[in-house]
Amino acid sequence: MRMRALAVVIGMLVASYGVTSGSAHAASSLYEAENATVFHGTVDRDHLGYTGTGFVNTANEVGAYVEFSVSAPAAGGFALALRHANGTGAGRAGTVSVNGTVISAPAFAATTDWNTWAVTRIPVTLRAGTNAIRVTGTTAGGLPNLDSLTVSDPRSTDWADALVDSTMQRYTPATVGGWSYPVALYLMGQYQVAQHTADPARRAALIAYIKAWADRFVDASGHIGITFNSLDSMMPGQVMIALYRETGEAKYGLAAKQIHDRLLPGAGYPTTSDGGFWHANSADRANQLWSDGTFMADPFMAQYGRYIGDSAQSYDIAAKQLVVYASHLQQANGLLKHAYDASKAATWSDPNSGLSSEYWCRAVGWYGVAATEILDLIPADHPLRAQLTATVRDLVRGIAAYQDPASGRWFQVVDKGSSAGNWTETSCSAMFTLTADAAIKRGYVPAATYQATVDAGKRGELDRISLHSDGLTYLTSISVGTNVGDYAYYTARSRATNDFHGLGAFLYFFEQVNG
């Protein structure tokens, strides 16, 4: 059991009796809804998964409420976590007030059913002593079923859980997005959260969400109606492998096989003369290797080898691609250029080297995440292991050299932090911190040299996420999807909030550094 999961269990056992640790920023306290003041509602036990002795089912009316009496040892900022279920299929909005002042109006989005519990987290300021926290229904449907309220130091927030809860409230499996790598990246981050949770019911709910998304694309025979003519289109195959591992259903394994077989020698997917997969089988991507592409296809192949079959060939393909790409893209400073055109025909390619001009941060990050994962998956005696380990070692050296000392993050164009218009980007900062942390923990690089890089990166990344009064998380300054370009192009890219590139990268990062 992970330490954070153990802490949750201990906290539930102790704090369910209203016990709070000795300082305002020390621990969490759990208050069961059935012990609160209830106006127009009942304590019920006819659904599964509640804590304590029951949950509160308010009347279907505007104004029904549950009021908790919360003790704070000192005035200060806290985070509220309301655990609720809403099986109606529609939101049941409400308000949250502290000592008579409304501070939030959460939507309380629908959950899969009444046995599936979600958490809405809200930042608050409490006074020393007793505080009245009231949750009131504002629609004719009343409130969702309320199980408990946890009050904690916001610095102890499990940001991976909070981000997943927020995203699942914002989107259903039908509205989260189509077959694309940014959505699949997020879902694979959610899968990592599911793997690490100690609560079986929560784990099942997270997997069910992923499965509902996948079932939009995979028929009963395991067929996906996509041509797979780009590496980007193959990355969601990781979701198929994850579901095959979880369910054992043949259709997910067969769906993954469809993508796997597309990349086998002789299957027709084009490569450069030295065997590197083109970024896409299209005129504008012909002969091109993008650092991004290593994450889109290579971890999928290694995962296929580990969890489905054809292991020796799949491992060899994944490792070879990393080596071929690095042979063209990795430079003496350890970083990788964004792209290489073997034909030197692209407008962005250098006529002599075929390389693009810049080190775009997320492209470099994709390679780091792919390489560290594939080293975890391939056998210890794989003939390319030493070469891949050296590549990661050089990459971490480059990552550390270009970290922004002020923020702990990394710049959109990595090596030009002092140039006009450059800015620190969230998704690559997550990936760089993950890569350095994984390299330390696997023994590829020394902690004495690089732990400070990880620590600063973690602080910088966490500075980019926050809870808002609507009860949801917001992750800021994420570069939107990006092609190959010059300095002005990269720095002019839009800086999005809650873009899936950033959400997924954040989950990967958080699960790695806290694992």
Side-chain angles (χ1 to χ4, degrees), residues 7 88-89 116 123 171-172 219 228-229 242 288 311 332 353 367 369 381 403 412 464 470 493:
T88 64
T116 300
Y171 306 102
T172 68
D219 66 21
F228 299 111
N229 280 324
Q288 296 176 18
S311 58
S353 68
Y367 189 96
V369 176
D381 61 353
Q403 186 174 33
Q412 174 81 331
R464 285 281 168 83
D470 59 2
R493 300 302 289 158

Side-chain angles (χ1 to χ4, degrees), residues 6-355:
L6 179 60
V8 170
V9 173
I10 293 172
M12 290 175 64
L13 293 173
V14 175
S16 59
Y17 296 96
V19 177
T20 306
S21 149
S23 85
H25 297 101
S28 62
S29 297
L30 186 145
Y31 299 84
E32 293 290 354
E34 64 269 24
N35 298 327
T37 299
V38 178
F39 178 74
H40 288 190
T42 58
V43 175
D44 294 345
R45 301 170 181 83
D46 56 335
H47 298 298
L48 303 176
Y50 59 83
T51 61
T53 59
F55 58 86
V56 171
N57 176 12
T58 62
N60 294 339
E61 61 182 40
V62 174
Y65 68 77
V66 179
E67 184 171 293
F68 300 85
S69 180
V70 170
S71 178
F78 293 82
L80 307 182
L82 288 159
R83 190 169 189 260
H84 54 87
N86 174 13
T88 64
R92 285 192 164 186
T95 61
V96 176
S97 63
V98 177
N99 301 321
T101 300
V102 173
I103 54 94
S104 178
F108 294 123
T111 54
T112 304
D113 52 42
W114 292 107
N115 302 310
T116 300
W117 299 88
V119 176
T120 294
R121 296 170 176 83
I122 301 164
V124 297
T125 299
L126 300 181
R127 66 193 180 197
T130 301
N131 296 262
I133 297 177
R134 180 179 292 187
V135 188
T136 306
T138 58
T139 69
L143 290 169
N145 290 344
L146 288 181
D147 180 45
S148 65
L149 167 68
T150 299
V151 183
S152 63
D153 176 357
R155 294 174 299 183
S156 67
T157 299
D158 186 319
W159 287 109
D161 277 339
L163 188 154
V164 165
D165 285 329
S166 296
T167 306
M168 291 174 68
Q169 289 191 56
R170 288 185 170 109
Y171 306 102
T172 68
T175 63
V176 71
W179 182 275
S180 70
Y181 78 83
V183 174
L185 173 72
Y186 165 76
L187 292 172
M188 287 304 295
Q190 179 166 315
Y191 180 60
Q192 291 185 46
V193 175
Q195 288 180 300
H196 295 154
T197 186
D199 179 351
R202 169 143 175 95
R203 188 181 196 282
L206 296 179
I207 297 298
Y209 183 99
I210 298 168
K211 186 176 185 298
W213 176 84
D215 287 345
R216 292 167 50 194
F217 309 102
V218 183
D219 66 21
S221 68
H223 180 72
I224 305 169
I226 294 173
T227 56
F228 299 111
N229 280 324
S230 72
L231 299 184
D232 288 353
S233 69
M234 298 178 189
M235 188 267 151
Q238 294 187 38
V239 179
M240 303 300 114
I241 295 173
L243 290 172
Y244 180 73
R245 293 172 62 189
E246 289 297 317
T247 68
E249 291 185 38
K251 73 174 185 177
Y252 299 118
L254 291 170
K257 186 176 185 299
Q258 183 180 344
I259 301 170
H260 166 269
D261 291 356
R262 180 77 174 96
L263 293 172
L264 292 180
Y269 193 84
T271 67
T272 57
S273 60
D274 54 354
F277 293 137
W278 290 5
H279 195 69
N281 186 11
S282 60
D284 61 340
R285 301 288 188 269
N287 299 292
Q288 296 176 18
L289 309 182
W290 295 16
S291 295
D292 323 28
T294 56
F295 180 79
M296 303 307 157
D298 303 346
F300 165 80
M301 290 300 285
Q303 290 171 22
Y304 191 96
R306 172 65 67 90
Y307 302 116
I308 297 182
D310 188 33
S311 58
Q313 182 171 220
S314 296
Y315 293 150
D316 288 348
I317 289 172
K320 177 185 176 181
Q321 290 303 310
L322 289 177
V323 168
V324 170
Y325 272 63
S327 72
H328 295 289
L329 296 165
Q330 192 169 37
Q331 304 301 299
N333 63 7
L335 303 179
L336 289 86
K337 294 286 190 177
H338 188 174
Y340 162 75
D341 180 5
S343 70
K344 303 179 178 63
T347 57
W348 47 257
S349 66
D350 182 273
N352 297 312
S353 68
L355 291 169

